Amino acid sequence: MGTIEVVLGDITAEDVDAIVTAANESLLGGGGVDGAVHRAAGPRLAEAGAKLAPCEPGNAVATPAFDLAPVKYVIHTVGPVWEDGERGEDEILANCYLNSLKLAAELGVGSIAIPAIATGVYGFPTGRAAQVAARAVRSLPVIDRIRLVAFDEETCEALTTAVALGEDHGRSVP
Ligand code: APR
């Protein structure tokens, strides 16, 4: 079983094998973390993404990381746009994490950084998203080092709490 860390910072500064970006279906880049990743990786990222688009919500696709080297891959996943929590948003968000991890494992990735998918422009409530994220990454221990990267204190606390709760559940099981 690998490690799950919660860190506060800019995901484009992460020294890992793969960085996950919270993309939109076009994979051409946008604002938020997607904008930061595309700026850091350079214009080839959008060119590579365009060849794989559209990416349905919950799915994940991988491209090289280009100018983000030594990062090897950017995994593009599309989160759910939050409506009211009754439209399968939790399941789509969980699939973002699960499909990103499955794809990373297929690529032989040893370490991965994942942002708080869907909690920005897409409006997914931070606390609820953190619980979905922690449960999903814990359910699929296929990558040695998982770093959940928060960009603000609130998100960092939510992820830290959610991951810690999962650990308690793990310890309490006889
Ligand atoms: N490093 C880590 N996390 C970041 C960074 C960064 N450099 N920049 C933003 N974030 C955080 C946000 O603070 C938020 O917690 O990433 C989380 C996800 O927010 P968004 O980037 O807005 O992603 P999302 O809510 O999934 O919306 C996706 O926004 O940027 C567009 O093209 C993207 O259309 C898509 C939509």
Side-chain angles (χ1 to χ4, degrees):
M1 172 97 174
T3 60
I4 302 170
E5 300 161 278
V6 177
V7 295
L8 177 62
D10 179 345
I11 203 165
T12 62
E14 286 287 305
D15 182 8
V16 290
D17 294 338
I19 285 177
V20 175
T21 186
N24 60 55
E25 296 182 33
S26 75
L27 303 183
L28 291 175
V33 68
D34 203 28
V37 169
H38 276 263
R39 279 191 297 279
R44 289 179 290 174
L45 190 63
E47 288 165 16
K51 294 177 186 150
L52 301 172
C55 181
E56 293 301 313
N59 284 354
V61 295
T63 66
F66 301 113
D67 300 348
L68 266 169
V71 175
K72 297 189 185 95
Y73 304 103
V74 169
I75 292 177
H76 311 248
T77 192
V78 179
V81 174
W82 177 262
E83 293 191 49
D84 56 11
E86 306 293 324
R87 315 295 168 111
E89 293 99 324
D90 288 357
E91 186 185 0
I92 295 169
L93 183 59
N95 285 336
C96 288
Y97 286 89
L98 296 172
N99 287 324
S100 295
L101 291 172
K102 285 174 193 165
L103 190 47
E106 286 166 17
L107 293 166
V109 161
S111 57
I112 189 168
I114 313 176
I117 300 162
T119 63
V121 167
Y122 283 179
F124 205 113
T126 302
R128 184 166 169 160
Q131 288 173 15
V132 169
R135 200 176 305 127
V137 299
R138 185 170 306 289
S139 75
L140 198 62
V142 293
I143 305 293
D144 287 345
R145 276 184 68 218
I146 298 174
R147 290 169 65 82
L148 300 178
V149 182
F151 205 48
D152 57 72
E153 280 293 345
E154 180 205 353
T155 304
C156 194
E157 282 165 28
L159 285 167
T160 303
T161 303
V163 169
L165 277 178
E167 277 159 6
D168 290 348
H169 288 312
R171 272 199 287 274
S172 61
V173 171

